[in-house]
Amino acid sequence: MPKKEEFSKKIDDAFRKLKSEIMYFYDEDMVYGEDLTNWLLEIGIKNKIIHLFKNNPPKRDKEMVRRRRSEVYWVDFGVNIGSEFNYPHFCVVIKEFTYHAIVVPISSMKEEEKDWKSVDNLYMEIGPLKDLPEKQTDSYAVVSQIKSVSKQRLSSYKHKGKFIKMKLTDEQMDKIDQAILDLATKKTQNS
């Protein structure tokens, strides 16, 4: 284990290099640079919390909280690389395990995105989220971005100081299930 001074110097060197890389965005895309900086700080804080949980059995068990199929949660997917899903979005739990869950992100449709948000790219229209207290718009399950996340990432949506429980209908889940089957199984020429 390195001495505290050596460890501190190593951190300073890493942050100096990281700052140089992030400064690239000053002229190129300031908003992205600010988002990346905020995300890096958030990741540092979250990793400290996760480490504290892992080393404290009573707290570790909080990760085992139930996150049931069809329930909708708010998830920060972080900063993307390329076409990965990013930033905070709703997601629906497809399958729950002890410490993690398989989720499908949920997105809305913007006029300029219609070309690539299509059934061919596994964007399945599921209609509005019925329990969402804000303006109801059609939502899309982004089946092509299905992923496994720690249950610690799954937060209840907070609106005007109140946590809102949301759940998809059986019909909405059926659409997502069918899209997952289409994604995960070989199609024949007749299908």
Side-chain angles (χ1 to χ4, degrees):
M1 178 69 116
K3 293 182 181 171
K4 191 171 186 177
E5 299 81 28
E6 291 173 8
F7 187 58
S8 180
K9 184 181 180 323
K10 189 173 185 175
I11 293 170
D12 289 342
D13 290 343
F15 278 112
R16 194 172 12 266
K17 291 174 186 173
L18 185 60
K19 180 179 179 183
S20 173
E21 296 297 326
I22 295 173
M23 285 303 294
Y24 161 83
F25 296 105
Y26 181 77
D27 291 324
E28 298 298 322
D29 188 345
M30 187 66 160
V31 172
Y32 184 84
E34 288 174 354
D35 288 344
L36 178 60
T37 302
N38 292 336
W39 179 76
L40 288 167
L41 179 59
E42 182 179 335
I43 290 301
I45 292 167
K46 283 182 177 178
N47 275 280
K48 179 181 176 184
I49 292 168
I50 289 168
H51 188 268
L52 290 170
F53 274 123
K54 284 184 177 180
N55 293 312
N56 185 334
K59 288 185 178 182
R60 183 178 59 227
D61 292 342
K62 287 184 179 180
E63 191 175 18
M64 293 172 47
V65 67
R66 294 301 311 259
R67 300 293 192 219
R68 291 183 170 85
R69 177 177 161 76
S70 78
E71 291 179 342
V72 176
Y73 292 96
W74 190 242
V75 175
D76 186 350
F77 290 103
V79 177
N80 69 329
I81 296 175
S83 61
E84 293 174 343
F85 215 70
N86 62 332
Y87 301 125
H89 276 86
F90 290 112
C91 71
V92 61
V93 174
I94 302 301
K95 176 80 174 158
E96 175 189 25
F97 299 93
T98 305
Y99 296 106
H100 68 284
I102 296 174
V103 301
V104 169
I106 298 174
S107 184
S108 59
M109 180 71 76
K110 295 183 179 87
E111 190 62 38
E112 68 274 8
E113 298 171 333
K114 283 189 176 179
D115 291 342
W116 61 273
K117 283 191 173 179
S118 65
V119 173
D120 291 340
N121 288 323
L122 290 176
Y123 275 74
M124 305 307 301
E125 184 175 353
I126 59 171
L129 300 177
K130 68 176 179 140
D131 300 317
L132 188 63
E134 299 169 354
K135 181 184 171 195
Q136 297 288 317
T137 60
D138 281 343
S139 297
Y140 294 78
V142 190
V143 177
S144 61
Q145 297 284 336
I146 190 171
K147 58 186 73 216
S148 173
V149 298
S150 167
K151 288 200 276 185
Q152 289 183 3
R153 284 189 178 273
L154 302 175
S155 302
S156 294
Y157 182 64
K158 194 172 188 178
H159 178 73
K160 295 184 179 180
K162 290 181 149 183
F163 288 104
I164 309 297
K165 287 189 175 251
M166 292 187 282
K167 187 174 181 175
L168 294 188
T169 66
D170 290 343
E171 293 79 23
Q172 289 171 316
M173 289 302 294
D174 288 345
K175 287 182 180 183
I176 295 170
D177 288 343
Q178 185 58 54
I180 292 169
L181 286 172
D182 292 346
L183 173 68
T185 58
K186 185 177 179 180
K187 294 183 182 181
T188 64
Q189 288 183 336
N190 296 333
S191 59

